[in-house]
Amino acid sequence: MDATGLMLYEGKAKKIFAAARPDQVIQYFKDDATAFNAEKRGTIVGKGVVNNMVSERLFMLLDEKGIPTHFLERLSDREMLTKKVTIVPVEVVVRNVVAGSLAKRLGLQAGEAIEPAIVEFYYKNDALGDPLVNDDHLRLMKVATPGVLRELREQAHKINAVLKPFFVERKMQLVDFKLEFGVFHNKLILADEISPDTCRLWDMATGESMDKDRFRKDMGKIEEAYQEVLKRVCG
Ligand code: TMP
């Protein structure tokens, strides 16, 4: 079954539909893929199903560990029911290993372990290309108070402490990942998705990328990698 109700918002990888209750929404996961601020566009067949199922599993795991999330229930292979939050326009990136934009920006060798993990904030704004910002910038723009930023950082580390060993048990290294949070009844909770679109996952046996980097860098076997993550996380 696919969502048929009122569409409230369409993003690059998801659509948000109204739910029966006004304080809930339905997240519909598309197969559309973009990279480099949507300069590159494509389709990863079956991605929406993988990201919905993987996000469900990870949100349930985090919930069990006492980390509040927007997840309520999976409705179908591409849809989940969530709390309706007001998204905080900050992309919270957690890094356990040097890769991606960090390697590029600082000229560091990709693959180097980062211990303890570092947390970065990006201002979620497509027109500006999601720039890296610090606490002072976010305070200046009135995007978040110091208290909210402290909480975002704390939650990000707690989530990493749960997810990192979960992936190791499944023979994947959680290199880095991006989180988004929202406000629900004055409380900050984890929102959006956690999936191979928003994580870097390296196969611990081969070191191969099992995530959206395969699409970003035209590495091939993209669908296969997503299916393998689904199998290891939900199988
Ligand atoms: P980066 O190295 O390109 O800054 O990416 C860090 C992590 O954030 C990586 O796991 C991919 C994820 N990410 C997103 O989920 N959305 C984005 O728009 C970007 C740029 C990265």
Side-chain angles (χ1 to χ4, degrees):
M1 187 199 77
D2 281 353
T4 50
L6 175 70
M7 189 169 77
L8 303 175
Y9 175 79
E10 177 158 14
K12 286 177 279 195
K14 292 190 292 294
K15 293 178 186 175
I16 307 294
F17 292 92
R21 281 178 54 150
D23 59 348
Q24 300 178 352
V25 291
I26 296 166
Q27 280 202 141
Y28 176 92
F29 289 77
K30 303 191 282 186
D31 284 352
D32 300 358
T34 64
F36 315 119
N37 204 11
E39 271 176 40
K40 177 175 178 147
R41 291 170 181 277
T43 301
I44 303 173
V45 176
K47 171 171 88 76
V49 178
V50 173
N51 288 359
N52 190 27
M53 307 277 282
V54 168
S55 291
E56 174 194 27
R57 178 74 181 89
L58 298 178
F59 282 141
M60 285 177 71
L61 171 73
L62 291 168
D63 230 42
E64 283 164 23
K65 303 286 182 183
I67 293 158
T69 82
H70 71 158
F71 177 79
L72 291 168
E73 180 188 352
R74 185 165 62 79
L75 300 175
S76 70
D77 60 353
R78 287 178 185 272
E79 292 168 306
M80 63 169 59
L81 185 68
T82 70
K83 293 172 178 167
K84 183 178 185 177
V85 301
T86 305
I87 288 285
V88 177
V90 177
E91 300 200 345
V92 181
V93 170
V94 181
R95 300 185 185 271
N96 294 306
V97 178
V98 173
S101 70
L102 179 69
K104 205 168 166 185
R105 188 181 323 111
L106 300 184
L108 298 174
Q109 185 68 41
E112 197 185 309
I114 304 170
E115 187 78 59
I118 62 173
V119 173
E120 296 172 341
F121 295 138
Y122 293 82
Y123 177 41
K124 193 173 150 67
N125 182 309
D126 282 339
L128 297 176
D130 298 343
L132 176 69
V133 288
N134 68 19
D135 293 41
D136 288 343
H137 298 134
L138 292 171
R139 186 166 45 86
L140 172 72
M141 294 185 295
K142 298 194 169 34
V143 163
T145 61
V148 165
L149 294 172
R150 197 176 325 119
E151 207 178 325
L152 289 178
R153 212 176 254 114
E154 254 175 46
Q155 289 298 309
H157 281 292
K158 276 190 196 165
I159 291 164
N160 189 41
V162 173
L163 295 186
K164 213 175 129 175
F166 176 87
F167 280 105
V168 169
E169 282 165 25
R170 287 151 185 84
K171 307 282 177 268
M172 291 176 278
Q173 187 176 26
L174 180 59
V175 171
D176 53 35
F177 55 98
K178 185 264 299 177
L179 302 169
E180 291 184 29
F181 293 82
V183 179
F184 185 75
H185 294 321
N186 276 322
K187 238 185 91 174
L188 207 56
I189 62 175
L190 181 64
D192 194 51
E193 64 179 285
I194 311 176
S195 72
D197 269 17
T198 63
C199 300
R200 279 196 179 91
L201 299 166
W202 292 353
D203 187 330
M204 287 173 66
T206 64
E208 277 199 51
S209 292
M210 304 176 66
D211 55 70
K212 196 170 151 189
D213 267 351
R214 301 200 72 84
F215 170 78
R216 294 189 188 99
K217 301 187 199 168
D218 292 320
M219 297 165 84
K221 296 205 168 141
I222 305 170
E223 276 86 5
E224 289 88 337
Y226 274 73
Q227 291 303 322
E228 181 61 24
V229 172
L230 175 65
K231 199 169 104 190
R232 292 196 198 179
V233 169
C234 300

